Amino acid sequence: MPVPEFIVELRAHVGHAPLWLSGVSAVVVNDDGRILLGRRSDNGNWAIVSGILEPGEQPAAAIVREIREETGVEVELVRLTGVDVTPPLTHANGDQAQYLDLCFLARWTGGTPQPADDENVDVGWFSPDALPTPMNDSSVGRIATALRGDEGAWFAR
């Protein structure tokens, strides 16, 4: 389900008013160094896997769940690579939100990528030097930070 039920319930009360939400994302790398990306059904852009934390859910567990739900791929997390705040945005349905995102580097451990829910129309592996377009700007930055690998670069400056 693309929109968690707790958000649907909140929206019943606040309409399209801005919500501050916690999100998770991951740069998933396979044994060949290729990156897992999904082509989003809402805007047609390619992006790393991301999602919204459920109330009380641990971020690491949430991103592993999101990767499995969206792509059918299993992973192990390597490290936290970024903590940042997105600009305010308006989704296609008019909902306004801003996200605190925790991004992880993850290693593929199994599964064949496929659009496993209605959030993506395509899923695949891409070389870091041949990423598809159009791509979400946030994904471009998160990929660069995750692959840079320098300690201390995990938070937005």
Side-chain angles (χ1 to χ4, degrees), residues 4 12 19 22 30-31 34 49 55 64 71 83 96 120 132 145:
L19 288 179
S22 299
N30 71 7
D31 294 339
R34 296 166 60 100
V49 177
V64 170
T71 70
V83 177
Q96 299 174 55
N120 294 299
T145 299

Side-chain angles (χ1 to χ4, degrees), residues 91-109:
H91 292 282
N93 66 359
D95 288 350
Q96 299 174 55
Q98 190 168 13
Y99 297 89
L100 170 68
D101 183 79
L102 292 92
C103 186
F104 295 86
L105 177 63
R107 182 178 304 113
W108 171 83
T109 60

